[in-house]
Amino acid sequence: MWGIDVSKHNGGIDWKKVKESGCGFAIIRAGYGMFETQIDEQFLNNINGCVENNIPFGVYWFSYALSEQDAANEARRCLEAVRPYRLEYPVCFDFEYDSVRYAQQNGITITRRMATDFVKAFCDTVEQAKYYAMYYANEDYLNNMFYPQELTAYDLWYARYRPGTDPG
């Protein structure tokens, strides 16, 4: 089975065509950051498209956390957004290069310890709400930004880029 991950960057999606293509699931960006206005602009269209076409889905939240508390607040915001829906796939924490750039622009250097603790804060908050938590990482982040041996309680959405496409 294969699936897709989608956000506003994919524009409007013809979910009927997605279903007809054999797609088995979708992971939808619910939003990013901590503010109420930062729900993904296509979130409702994407989630409703999945519901209407019987495509199972989960969500991810792109993090701009600067602290563990921020990561937990992002989890709460994500859970508020998905509360009306039945998720069959995880709620995923997505902390990447742009997350680190944002922190640097705000005078904070993200360490491996911090990034790992952000994953724990987000995922623990999600699991306390009885949702299935997961985190996203590529090889670079597993080797340099997280302590993966401390994150074994959570499943990993592993990004393996094709040669020449790694954003790092």
Side-chain angles (χ1 to χ4, degrees):
M1 178 172 27
W2 61 276
I4 59 174
D5 71 279
V6 297
S7 72
K8 74 172 187 174
H9 302 292
N10 300 102
I13 296 171
D14 183 336
W15 285 100
K16 184 177 179 190
K17 282 187 180 177
V18 170
K19 178 69 172 185
E20 290 169 354
S21 73
C23 177
F25 67 94
I27 305 294
I28 300 166
R29 184 172 81 163
Y32 51 96
M34 293 169 287
F35 304 105
E36 187 171 320
T37 58
Q38 291 179 264
I39 296 296
D40 186 277
E41 288 88 342
Q42 288 293 323
F43 172 69
L44 290 176
N45 291 334
N46 288 334
I47 210 162
N48 289 327
C50 285
V51 169
E52 290 165 9
N53 290 281
N54 296 312
I55 300 171
F57 60 89
V59 299
Y60 71 97
W61 194 267
F62 193 93
S63 179
Y64 287 107
L66 302 176
S67 69
E68 288 176 59
Q69 186 61 48
D70 287 352
N73 287 339
E74 288 178 335
R76 287 189 214 34
R77 182 66 191 115
C78 182
L79 294 171
E80 286 172 22
V82 301
R83 189 162 286 118
Y85 305 97
R86 183 176 174 271
L87 277 64
E88 295 182 47
Y89 281 77
V91 174
C92 184
F93 181 71
D94 186 4
F95 192 83
E96 298 185 50
Y97 300 101
D98 198 50
S99 310
V100 171
R101 269 192 292 278
Y102 175 79
Q104 289 170 338
Q105 291 168 349
N106 285 278
I108 296 172
T109 300
I110 300 294
T111 65
R112 226 175 157 174
R113 171 82 279 132
M114 291 169 72
T116 300
D117 290 344
F118 292 178
V119 172
K120 291 177 185 178
F122 184 96
C123 289
D124 285 350
T125 301
V126 167
E127 290 194 344
Q128 288 167 5
K130 307 293 187 221
Y131 287 84
Y132 175 35
M134 179 170 69
Y135 73 105
Y136 173 94
N138 60 27
E139 183 178 16
D140 178 40
Y141 267 56
L142 286 177
N143 291 333
N144 300 304
M145 285 302 294
F146 296 132
Y147 293 114
Q149 67 277 13
E150 293 183 21
L151 300 174
T152 58
Y154 316 109
D155 281 337
L156 166 65
W157 174 5
Y158 182 69
R160 187 175 339 181
Y161 304 103
R162 291 185 310 271
T165 64
D166 190 331

